[in-house]
Amino acid sequence: DIQMTQSPASVSAFVGDGVTMTCRASQDINNHVVWYQQKPGKAPKSLISGASYLQSGVPSRFSGSGSGTDFTLTISSLQPEDSATYYCQQYNGSPRTFGGGTKVEIK
Amino acid sequence: QMQLVQSGAEVKKPGSSVNISCEASGDTFTYRYLHWLRQAPGQAPEWMGWITPFNGYSHNAQKFQDRVTFTRDTPMTTVYMHLSSLRSDDTAMYFCATEDGSNSFDTWGPGTLVTVSS
């Protein structure tokens, strides 16, 4: 199985700050990554697919980059509603696998 | 706009089985991949497999081997996940989700909590 490793496990920042989190795959997965946002008690919501393509309706402060084994999700100007856990997930191979998540908190 | 409606929470004994349903409302998922995932408390989601309602083809993660079965009803409006030989570590929220053209899980059900306890 392809392992997805996210870092940091958690990050705390002020409203308006930029926040960056990373996801590393255990093997080359091209750009076959989806980023999800999950709030407590809710199902995940897809933000970005194909490593860098913003899903419809997702604010432009979210952006993704990377290919191969290293991927990044950036929130350019953190908003209170961005407090959540973010997961990366690969779809290059089966089984589809998720990273362990990065929890974003507002200071 | 399609919504997915799942059956209610279940409490099961170790060794027993559970059946969870996922029904589409507002649109049809007949020609889409319908995936099942689960999420144990405090853990990341875990992908279990998929079914295509229009022909009933399915594929599950090897981890679940013969314990999990995906089926659908004839009108192809409801899919089911059957998980057998339940263990305590099967305690989790179980989600159904459709896959969109960009390979992401775009529409999710609200989840069904399964608790396995003696």
Side-chain angles (χ1 to χ4, degrees), chain A residues 2-107:
Chain A
I2 298 172
Q3 306 302 314
M4 303 294 283
T5 304
Q6 288 186 245
S7 62
S10 65
V11 60
S12 183
F14 291 103
V15 171
D17 283 351
V19 172
T20 297
M21 61 196 79
T22 65
C23 178
R24 175 164 287 176
S26 60
Q27 64 187 70
D28 189 333
I29 58 170
N30 299 293
N31 67 337
H32 297 163
V33 163
V34 181
W35 288 95
Y36 296 89
Q37 176 194 67
Q38 186 176 31
K39 297 183 178 181
K42 300 292 186 181
K45 171 189 173 184
S46 62
L47 300 175
I48 286 169
S49 63
S52 60
Y53 297 96
L54 213 60
Q55 297 283 70
S56 175
V58 175
S60 59
R61 62 181 180 274
F62 291 93
S63 64
S65 65
S67 67
T69 60
D70 294 312
F71 303 89
T72 299
L73 175 69
T74 298
I75 308 172
S76 61
S77 177
L78 192 66
Q79 298 302 303
E81 60 267 32
D82 300 336
S83 177
T85 301
Y86 294 82
Y87 295 99
C88 60
Q89 174 244 313
Q90 65 82 20
Y91 55 90
N92 194 70
S94 183
R96 302 194 191 191
T97 48
F98 288 78
T102 293
K103 186 174 184 178
V104 174
E105 296 176 318
I106 308 295
K107 282 183 180 176

Side-chain angles (χ1 to χ4, degrees), chain B:
Chain B
Q1 185 83 11
M2 179 169 56
Q3 289 188 319
L4 299 177
V5 180
Q6 296 185 226
S7 49
E10 304 263 12
V11 179
K12 294 291 183 180
K13 300 285 189 187
S16 67
S17 300
V18 68
N19 214 43
I20 301 171
S21 66
C22 174
E23 181 178 5
S25 70
D27 200 348
T28 177
F29 53 37
T30 302
Y31 297 101
R32 302 182 72 180
Y33 284 89
L34 193 291
H35 295 259
W36 288 93
L37 305 98
R38 72 180 187 179
Q39 188 170 27
Q43 302 298 310
E46 178 178 30
W47 178 79
M48 299 180 71
W50 55 257
I51 183 169
T52 49
F54 84 97
N55 59 12
Y57 287 176
S58 67
H59 171 71
N60 58 273
Q62 189 172 359
K63 169 179 179 175
F64 300 98
Q65 295 182 321
D66 296 329
R67 288 209 301 139
V68 70
T69 305
F70 307 123
T71 58
R72 91 294 196 204
D73 65 354
T74 303
M76 295 179 285
T77 58
T78 305
V79 297
Y80 302 89
M81 185 208 67
H82 179 84
L83 185 63
S84 61
S85 303
L86 289 169
R87 309 184 289 251
S88 59
D89 62 358
D90 290 318
T91 293
M93 187 72 80
Y94 287 76
F95 296 98
C96 57
T98 56
E99 179 179 353
D100 67 9
S102 66
N103 300 108
S104 70
F105 304 131
D106 62 334
T107 301
W108 294 66
T112 296
L113 180 62
V114 175
T115 303
V116 182
S117 175
S118 54

